[in-house]
């Protein structure tokens, strides 16, 4: 069975985050371009892989992986030589999981609320991400010890959270611009050769 990853990709999408991760781990991969304007992501062949009709999607050793955070975490484990995930018995694995899941379960929905101008719910205790302000404050606190989410160690959690932050700042999400801690973090991540290689095509 080939070790090459089939990477279903459109540079104008979240698959850009997976692209950076593929470059970080040095995985052998082949891009399968998906043209949104031609609705290729809703074609039966693609829906058979990902019934959501969404990117990113990868196929590795016969297994389909979808969901950006899952793909990033999967690649960190599948290519351990890159050292981008703490070992399962390393206590910092907990911190690592924490921020990966925070990215998918809190940061993304809070960000989309803001960007789509959805009104904040009155009972933030009943909403998993509380509020945009709480999420941003939590991220700020997490990065205070820097330079990365796990302190001195760069991990796949930085690829995911960092990609979301880059995206949020690019689109002018509130309370991020001019915040030294976010500016420095994103600049640090953007300087990584793997990030630059992935972004070269975008
Ligand atoms: N929960 C998914 C969301 C993926 C997603 O929404 N991808 C967008 C591109 S950024 C997409 O493929 N949209 C095409 C569509 O839904 O028609 C993830 O985290 O990967």
């Amino acid at each position: 069975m080939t070790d090459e990853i089939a990477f279903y990709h459109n540079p104008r999408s979240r698959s850009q985050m997976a692209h950076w991760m593929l470059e970080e781990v040095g995985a052998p991969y082949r891009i399968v371009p998906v043209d949104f304007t031609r609705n290729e992501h809703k074609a039966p062949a693609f829906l058979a892989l990902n019934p959501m009709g969404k990117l990113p999607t990868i196929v590795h050793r016969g297994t389909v992986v979808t969901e950006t955070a899952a793909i990033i975490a999967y690649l960190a484990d599948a290519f351990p030589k890159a050292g981008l995930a703490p070992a399962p018995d390393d206590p910092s694995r907990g911190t690592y999981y924490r921020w990966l899941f925070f990215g998918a379960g809190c940061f993304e929905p809070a960000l989309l609320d803001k960007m789509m101008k959805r009104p904040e719910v009155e009972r933030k205790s009943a909403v998993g991400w509380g509020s945009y302000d709480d999420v941003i404050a939590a991220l700020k606190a997490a990065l205070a010890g820097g330079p990365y989410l796990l302190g001195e160690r760069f991990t796949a959690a930085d690829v995911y959270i960092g990609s979301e932050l880059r995206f949020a700042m690019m689109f002018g999400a509130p309370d991020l611009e001019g915040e030294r801690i976010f500016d420095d973090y994103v600049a640090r991540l953007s300087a990584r050769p793997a990030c630059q290689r992935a972004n070269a095509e975008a």
Side-chain angles (χ1 to χ4, degrees):
M1 187 174 289
T2 173
D3 208 39
E4 188 180 65
I5 295 169
F7 171 41
Y8 293 80
H9 180 48
N10 181 314
R12 307 248 171 268
S13 80
R14 286 172 179 81
S15 66
Q16 201 53 29
M17 305 183 188
H19 197 186
W20 175 15
M21 187 63 188
L22 284 161
E23 287 290 334
E24 284 288 350
V25 296
Y29 69 93
R30 150 180 78 86
I31 290 180
V32 184
V34 178
D35 187 340
F36 287 146
T37 64
R38 296 176 55 184
N39 250 8
E40 287 175 353
H41 55 311
K42 305 299 177 192
F46 185 75
L47 291 175
L49 297 174
N50 182 354
M52 293 292 285
K54 283 183 176 289
L55 301 178
T57 293
I58 65 167
V59 183
H60 186 215
R61 299 176 185 148
T63 295
V64 177
V65 191
T66 68
E67 297 306 309
T68 309
I71 291 171
I72 287 173
Y74 171 84
L75 290 172
D77 289 342
F79 296 89
K81 279 194 193 136
L84 295 188
D89 63 350
D90 180 334
S92 67
R93 180 88 173 185
T95 314
Y96 167 74
Y97 273 148
R98 177 182 177 189
W99 295 114
L100 273 177
F101 283 78
F102 186 86
C106 297
F107 192 19
E108 165 148 345
L111 191 57
L112 289 177
D113 270 354
K114 259 301 173 236
M115 298 185 73
M116 293 179 173
K117 299 192 180 358
R118 290 194 292 236
E120 288 206 346
V121 290
E122 276 169 34
R123 284 181 59 225
K124 70 176 190 175
S125 61
V127 173
W129 55 97
S131 69
Y132 179 81
D133 291 351
D134 289 351
V135 165
I136 298 307
L139 279 178
K140 214 168 165 181
L143 289 170
Y148 302 110
L149 288 162
L150 271 67
E152 291 300 322
R153 182 168 180 186
F154 171 78
T155 68
D158 294 298
V159 173
Y160 188 46
I161 292 278
S163 294
E164 290 184 312
L165 256 181
R166 273 165 58 95
F167 169 82
M169 291 167 87
M170 208 181 298
F171 286 92
D175 307 325
L176 301 175
E177 207 183 305
E179 283 287 350
R180 183 89 192 267
I181 204 157
F182 294 136
D183 286 345
D184 288 356
Y185 180 60
V186 166
R188 196 174 298 128
L189 298 180
S190 303
R192 294 183 69 82
C195 184
Q196 292 185 355
R197 284 196 299 276
N199 284 326
E201 52 140 20

